[in-house]
Amino acid sequence: MKQFTMIVIKINEMINFMNKFIAIVGSNSSKSTNRELLKYMQRHFKSQAEIELVEIKGLPIFKKSANKYVPQTARNIAKKIEAADGVIIATPEYDHSIPAVLSSALAWLSYGIHPFVDKPVMITGASYGSLGSSRAQAQLRQILDSPELKARIMPSSEFLLGHSLQAFDDNDNLKDIEITEQLNGLFKDFLQFVNISKQLNNANVVNKQQAEQFLWDKD
């Protein structure tokens, strides 16, 4: 009981510190509503966390090489992820899946470098239709849970922004109060999830070693 109380006290102390998050725009579109969503979160939650947007549109398509070359752009993103307390990813949905540019970026970020290991991740998504990238988010969860990535994805949480072209007002704020309240609640949960995750890294060294040593073609 005493040990549990001490953990709760530590978590409450952590909450008083400003967390720093990396927000990955999972699209290479210049007018992505997923970017718009992340910019809104950056402004809306500025008193609760520092959120830095990261673009992946400058990354080349993933390609294996004999010397396991990783572009410097990918290495720079990896350093930002490693230094952050958590990651937010906003994905659109193309053909029931995440965009090729996001899949390629995650491949680079698990090829000789492994910044996502045990890193808390919140998944969001916006789409022009009514489903709000739900199938893409489900696929993204599977990818982030793979042996090469080993991210710690916040469970039972989906923020699905449907009809995203009509979702924002002239000041780039969400129009729907209910949707805004849902996002507020999920973000509050993510802050708690991040702070709890800081207490759950006893196997981090081993997890990183396993990610580095994993090969799909190895028996």
Side-chain angles (χ1 to χ4, degrees):
M1 184 66 183
K2 185 178 180 181
Q3 185 178 7
F4 175 77
T5 303
M6 290 300 296
I7 290 173
V8 171
I9 291 172
K10 286 183 179 180
I11 291 171
N12 288 333
E13 288 175 350
M14 288 178 183
I15 290 173
N16 293 326
F17 291 96
M18 184 77 78
N19 283 304
K20 180 173 180 179
F21 299 146
I22 296 301
I24 296 176
V25 182
S27 171
N28 57 2
S29 171
S30 59
K31 296 182 179 180
S32 170
T33 53
N34 282 277
R35 183 183 295 105
E36 195 170 355
L37 171 60
L38 291 178
K39 285 184 175 180
Y40 167 76
M41 293 177 67
Q42 185 182 49
R43 297 191 311 273
H44 187 65
F45 298 119
K46 65 181 180 181
S47 64
Q48 301 177 52
E50 180 185 344
I51 301 176
E52 179 185 354
L53 265 65
V54 169
E55 300 282 353
I56 58 173
K57 58 184 179 181
L59 283 170
I61 294 297
F62 175 75
K63 183 180 180 181
K64 288 185 177 182
S65 60
N67 61 349
K68 279 203 167 184
Y69 167 77
V70 178
Q72 188 60 47
T73 305
R75 293 188 179 277
N76 292 342
I77 294 173
K79 287 179 182 178
K80 288 178 181 288
I81 293 171
E82 287 175 344
D85 296 296
V87 178
I88 305 167
I89 303 178
T91 179
E93 182 171 313
Y94 301 150
D95 299 326
H96 292 192
S97 64
I98 64 172
V101 65
L102 179 55
S103 178
S104 180
L106 292 173
W108 281 125
L109 294 169
S110 58
Y111 186 59
I113 52 177
H114 303 276
F116 275 103
V117 174
D118 294 330
K119 187 67 63 174
V121 177
M122 176 182 182
I123 298 174
T124 66
S127 71
Y128 296 172
S130 59
L131 296 178
S133 77
S134 61
R135 290 161 294 199
Q137 289 194 36
Q139 184 194 42
L140 182 54
R141 281 180 178 274
Q142 288 184 313
I143 294 171
L144 290 169
D145 197 38
S146 67
E148 306 99 312
L149 283 153
K150 284 184 175 290
R152 184 172 287 150
I153 311 113
M154 186 166 75
S156 303
S157 62
E158 284 184 317
F159 183 70
L160 309 171
L161 184 62
H163 304 292
S164 57
L165 286 174
Q166 295 81 39
F168 298 93
D169 62 22
D170 293 338
N171 295 316
D172 297 324
N173 295 317
L174 288 173
K175 295 178 183 177
D176 192 300
I177 295 175
E178 185 176 335
I179 289 175
T180 304
E181 289 177 350
Q182 181 194 18
L183 182 58
N184 289 343
L186 288 173
F187 191 77
K188 185 176 181 180
D189 286 346
F190 186 56
L191 290 174
Q192 293 179 345
F193 180 68
V194 167
N195 288 319
I196 290 171
S197 292
K198 291 176 182 178
Q199 303 293 313
L200 304 175
N201 279 330
N202 295 307
N204 181 256
V205 173
V206 175
N207 288 339
K208 282 195 173 182
Q209 288 175 345
Q210 289 180 345
E212 290 168 357
Q213 295 168 3
F214 181 84
L215 291 171
W216 282 106
D217 55 359
K218 182 180 178 181
D219 292 332

